[in-house]
Amino acid sequence: RPPTGAAADAVVWACAAAARTLAPDAARPLPLPLPYLEPAFTPTAIPRTQPPLALPAADRSLARMLAYLPVPLIGLPTGVAAEPWWLVLVAHEVGHHVQYDLEPDQAVITRTADVVVGAAADARWGDWGRELFADAFAVATVGAAAVAATIDLEWTEPPAMVTPRGAYPPALVRIAAQAEVGRALGLAIEGPTVAELAAATEDRDAAAWIARTPAVARALVAMPLGAGDLRTLAAGFPGAGVLGG
């Protein structure tokens, strides 16, 4: 295994092993994702129900064997070999696999959507639940480094910072929510405050969404997650305290 792969394994194993302690059924442990390199711009969490391999229609036996992968996958951009600090984003992808596999029937996904919609009092937030949870999981495991990485990844020209993007909230809203999760967990977050981010835009919808991020963050942190919650995870994971200052 090359150094980049070994480093990715270490991040995956640390985050997933910590999440395993929250598994509600000890006989059904959370599967450990397998990272691999692929030509892409950002990491991708690949559920076991969605194999990435394009199978020939005629090869029915192979298709049946790979219809449900034995392990979940995390695709990593080949660029991490030259810039390994981007491996911090792996924690976000492990968060997606926690949504898929920690509880039966992907119950975490449904619960997250309900929780964020209730906290924001806005149905639009339900579309963003998966990404907001993965961001929150990343903060609970690798601390303030997750927020810094998101800022580096997302910061761009002002109009694009306030534009919703399907499953992702606007960049300013995403940054605000992730930073507020860190503060709700008691971490030292040096990123911009809600007031600073709201003042950075003249878009009224974006400013209103940013104003709701503290409530959404508190709800995500307190949301039942297997046998605990994100506070339980952060308390038992040394990385959050170390990287979070």
Side-chain angles (χ1 to χ4, degrees):
R1 192 91 161 129
T4 301
D9 284 341
V11 177
V12 168
W13 277 66
C15 294
R20 275 183 157 189
T21 64
L22 303 179
D25 183 357
R28 186 180 177 273
L30 180 72
L32 291 172
L34 176 67
Y36 70 97
L37 296 177
E38 65 176 357
F41 178 67
T42 57
T44 305
I46 301 168
R48 289 186 289 167
T49 55
Q50 298 176 16
L53 185 63
L55 298 175
D59 198 340
R60 296 181 180 178
S61 297
L62 182 58
R64 284 195 297 269
M65 289 176 60
L66 296 181
Y68 191 80
L69 296 174
V71 294
L73 301 175
I74 294 177
L76 299 176
T78 53
V80 300
E83 299 178 327
W85 49 87
W86 285 113
L87 288 175
V88 69
L89 298 177
V90 168
H92 174 101
E93 305 308 326
V94 175
H96 281 307
H97 285 303
V98 168
Q99 295 178 85
Y100 301 144
D101 291 321
L102 184 68
E103 299 181 25
D105 303 318
Q106 299 186 349
V108 175
I109 293 176
T110 303
R111 186 180 309 126
T112 301
D114 292 341
V115 163
V116 298
V117 167
D122 184 341
R124 178 65 180 268
W125 287 70
D127 296 336
W128 303 334
R130 295 191 189 201
E131 299 302 333
L132 290 170
F133 175 86
D135 278 346
F137 178 90
V139 175
T141 51
V142 301
V147 182
T150 299
I151 292 173
D152 284 346
L153 187 68
E154 291 277 30
W155 208 270
T156 185
E157 296 299 320
M161 295 288 286
V162 295
T163 303
R165 304 157 298 170
Y168 286 90
L172 284 181
V173 179
R174 183 185 181 192
I175 292 167
Q178 196 174 34
E180 287 304 306
V181 166
R183 295 181 180 114
L185 289 170
L187 302 179
I189 302 296
E190 297 181 358
T193 65
V194 166
E196 290 168 341
L197 288 170
T201 177
E202 297 179 357
D203 187 290
R204 292 185 179 181
D205 287 338
W209 290 329
I210 291 169
R212 294 177 183 136
T213 58
V216 170
R218 290 191 297 270
L220 283 170
V221 165
M223 182 184 79
L225 183 62
D229 54 31
L230 288 179
R231 293 171 298 193
T232 312
L233 181 65
F237 192 84
V242 172
L243 296 176

